[in-house]
Structure formats: C-alpha cells, structure tokens
Amino acid sequence: MNSSVSTPPIDFRIYGSLGLDQFALVVCVFVFYISGLCVNVVLVVVVCVESRLHRPMYVLLVNLSLSGLMGSSSVCPIVLRHLVSGCRETSLTGCLTQVFFTNVYAGCMFCILALMAYDRYVSICKPLLYHSIMTPVKVTLMLTLVYVSLSCSSAVQVYLTSSIPLCEHAVDKLICDSLVISKLSCKRTTLISVFGLCCAVCVIIFPCVLVLLSYLHIFKVTLRSSPEGRRRALQTCAPHLLTFLNFSVASFFGVVSSRLTYEVPKAVNIFICMNFFAIPPLLHPIIYGIKMKEIRQSLNKMIKDKILQLRVCQDLRQTVKKV
C-alpha cells in the first residue's frame, strides 16, 4: 500500500460546498448514527441475554446488527469529523481502510439477509427437518465463510486500488469509494473495474437469487395452507422482506451513482450515502423489534426485571436507613 507520507491526501471537495446545509447534515448524521448504535446494541443484548432466543434466526439477526454497526461506524464518524472540523482531507491509507470496511459491510448485509431467507424457507417449507439442517455448527460455518470470503475479496480490491499511481486527489463524494479512487489514476484501471464489478455481481446477484427462490417456495407452501398459517408465515417473513427490499434499493442507487460518467448532484450524492450507510442500520432493528413478537416480549421482560431490581434496591436502602 502506498504510504500516506509520500502520497498527497484525498480532498473531498463536496464538504467545501455545503454552505448552510452543513449544520442540517451534521444533525441528521449524528441522530441517525447514535440512534442506530443504540437500537442495534439493545437488540444484540436482548438476543444474547435471553436463552430462548439462541436460535439460528436470531443468531443471524445479531450478525446483521453487527454488520450494520460496522458499516455506519466506518462512515458516520468520519463524515462528522469532516463536517465539524472543516478538514476536507483524508490520507490514502485511511481512505482505503474505509473502502475495505464499507465493502465488507455491504457484502455481509446481502449475504446474511440471504441466509435469513434460507432459514425462513427451511422453517416454513421443511419444518420437520429444520433442526437437522439449521444446526449451530452449520450456521457458524456459513457465517464464517461469509466473513472470510468477503474480507479476502475486499483486501484484494484494496490492494489493487493502492497499487495504482494517482494523478488527481480531489473527489466529489462524502466517503471513499474504490471506483472513485481508481478514476483518479494516471492510467487505465480495467482490472480494478472488472474485479469490482465481479465482486458486486457475486455479492448482490447470488444472494438476490437465493432470496427469490426461498420466497417462491415459501409462497407456494403458504398458498396451500390455512388462513391462520398464511397469516403466521406473513408475520414471520414480512420484516425480512421489508429489510431486504430496503437495502437492495439503497445498494442499487449506490452502485449506479458510482459508475455514472457525469457528476451526480450534491443532494443526490448525500441522500445515497445516508440511505446506504446510516438509514439501514437504524431501520432494520426497528423493523424486527416492532414486528417480531418474541423480541418485544424479551425486551419488555428485561425492562420489567430491571425496574423490579431498582425497586428492590430502593426498598433495601430505606429499610437500612430505618434500622
């Protein structure tokens, strides 16, 4: 990787043209990031503490939350630093580090959502075989394969990007992007573009196909079931389907905007960044927290237990004071 000492930093020109919109953007990014951080941490704690939630679907949900935290934490604090400090520059090393984590984040979200769709398919279409198919060992192996493969592919992309000489150092983006950096190169970067496109196809198309096939089988089974069975299946699948559609739309606009040959308007650029890195990590746990009955019940139980503990402590203190 090129040293940040010998290579000029990347200048994000967009931060110098925000004007009065800068304060509003600071508030939006801060609120979305802190809110997403809180709801994801709560969701992870609830699933980890409640032993009855130690099942494949909730294990995958925890990993989805952790991936969301990785994505938002690799982008939002840096955006806030640029906005608050007024500094528009980031070293090439820091920029490539952000590219690595954002790539892993995007891939993890798609792959984990695909695994969640497969889990719903097995649960609804093959209920008698569910515990033999979705064993803890198999779930762990699938998640390990996702993290290792995405980390390796992202590392290769970062290495290829770091090896090219740069003739320009100014971009009109809020964050670092491998394709945007390659456009600053002094020579053609066909290999990086092709490799990035292949990774995007593998990370987006394959999970989408798996989700589509899973839901086709689910809909076939539920259409033949009773009205109560259809209602329960819809109640179980709706949060996942909403989450997947939301992230797919955000990813589509992100990929398209990065490959456009003309300059994307500033407002569109900001919206795409927020819609991909700030909104999904906040929206996904809220959707699951509202729609999934067991998580709501577990959270209510934890809150009631905590309130009861506080009351008991207060009663003991009062008793000690009286004595």
Side-chain angles (χ1 to χ4, degrees):
M1 185 179 295
N2 295 340
S3 172
S4 60
V5 176
S6 59
T7 304
I10 306 297
D11 180 22
F12 295 89
R13 292 179 299 196
I14 191 173
Y15 289 102
S17 61
L18 291 174
L20 296 176
D21 297 331
Q22 182 169 324
F23 177 74
L25 186 57
V26 168
V27 173
C28 287
V29 174
F30 180 79
V31 170
F32 275 114
Y33 177 59
I34 297 300
S35 301
L37 186 67
C38 292
V39 294
N40 278 286
V41 169
V42 169
L43 183 61
V44 171
V45 170
V46 169
V47 175
C48 291
V49 169
E50 286 293 320
S51 57
R52 68 192 183 105
L53 298 180
H54 294 176
R55 290 181 287 173
M57 179 173 65
Y58 297 106
V59 171
L60 294 172
L61 181 55
V62 165
N63 281 271
L64 187 71
S65 289
L66 294 176
S67 298
L69 287 175
M70 176 176 59
S72 61
S73 297
S74 64
V75 169
C76 293
I78 297 175
V79 171
L80 287 172
R81 179 175 69 84
H82 285 308
L83 291 171
V84 174
S85 67
C87 176
R88 307 187 318 187
E89 296 180 342
T90 299
S91 67
L92 181 60
T93 301
C95 200
L96 292 173
T97 301
Q98 187 181 63
V99 170
F100 174 82
F101 283 108
T102 53
N103 285 350
V104 174
Y105 154 74
C108 282
M109 294 291 279
F110 267 112
C111 292
I112 292 173
L113 286 169
L115 291 177
M116 294 174 76
Y118 178 71
D119 174 80
R120 293 299 82 209
Y121 156 72
V122 176
S123 175
I124 294 172
C125 301
K126 300 182 179 181
L128 298 179
L129 300 175
Y130 180 81
H131 293 292
S132 61
I133 295 176
M134 298 298 291
T135 63
V137 174
K138 290 181 181 178
V139 173
T140 302
L141 286 175
M142 288 188 290
L143 288 171
T144 301
L145 178 62
V146 167
Y147 288 124
V148 171
S149 60
L150 290 174
S151 297
C152 291
S153 62
S154 297
V156 171
Q157 188 170 18
V158 167
Y159 172 76
L160 292 175
T161 307
S162 68
S163 63
I164 59 176
L166 303 182
C167 289
E168 299 180 29
H169 300 87
V171 297
D172 292 308
K173 289 274 188 177
L174 284 176
I175 62 170
C176 295
D177 180 275
S178 180
L179 187 60
V180 171
I181 297 175
S182 65
K183 288 180 180 178
L184 303 176
S185 174
C186 305
K187 59 182 181 180
R188 291 179 61 86
T189 55
T190 306
L191 177 61
I192 297 175
S193 298
V194 171
F195 182 81
L197 186 60
C198 291
C199 289
V201 169
C202 293
V203 168
I204 296 175
I205 301 300
F206 289 166
C208 285
V209 170
L210 180 58
V211 171
L212 179 62
L213 292 176
S214 297
Y215 276 103
L216 282 176
H217 286 289
I218 289 172
F219 290 147
K220 282 183 181 179
V221 171
T222 53
L223 286 175
R224 295 196 296 263
S225 63
S226 63
E228 177 63 20
R230 286 197 294 269
R231 187 189 66 80
R232 292 178 61 184
L234 181 62
Q235 192 175 36
T236 303
C237 296
H240 176 269
L241 198 54
L242 287 172
T243 302
F244 183 78
L245 290 175
N246 171 72
F247 193 72
S248 297
V249 172
S251 301
F252 173 77
F253 284 109
V255 171
V256 170
S257 67
S258 295
R259 296 187 175 273
L260 290 176
T261 55
Y262 59 86
E263 184 178 340
V264 179
K266 179 177 62 178
V268 175
N269 198 334
I270 294 172
F271 173 77
I272 289 174
C273 180
M274 291 287 292
N275 195 39
F276 190 72
F277 291 103
I279 296 177
L282 171 62
L283 188 62
H284 295 170
I286 290 177
I287 291 175
Y288 278 101
I290 293 174
K291 292 292 183 181
M292 301 188 78
K293 183 179 178 181
E294 289 180 311
I295 290 181
R296 291 203 310 271
Q297 290 178 340
S298 298
L299 180 59
N300 290 334
K301 178 178 176 295
M302 289 180 61
I303 293 174
K304 289 178 180 179
D305 290 344
K306 190 65 178 178
I307 292 174
L308 181 60
Q309 290 176 5
L310 292 174
R311 287 178 178 175
V312 170
C313 290
Q314 289 178 352
D315 291 341
L316 287 174
R317 287 172 186 167
Q318 290 177 358
T319 302
V320 170
K321 286 181 180 179
K322 289 180 181 179
V323 173

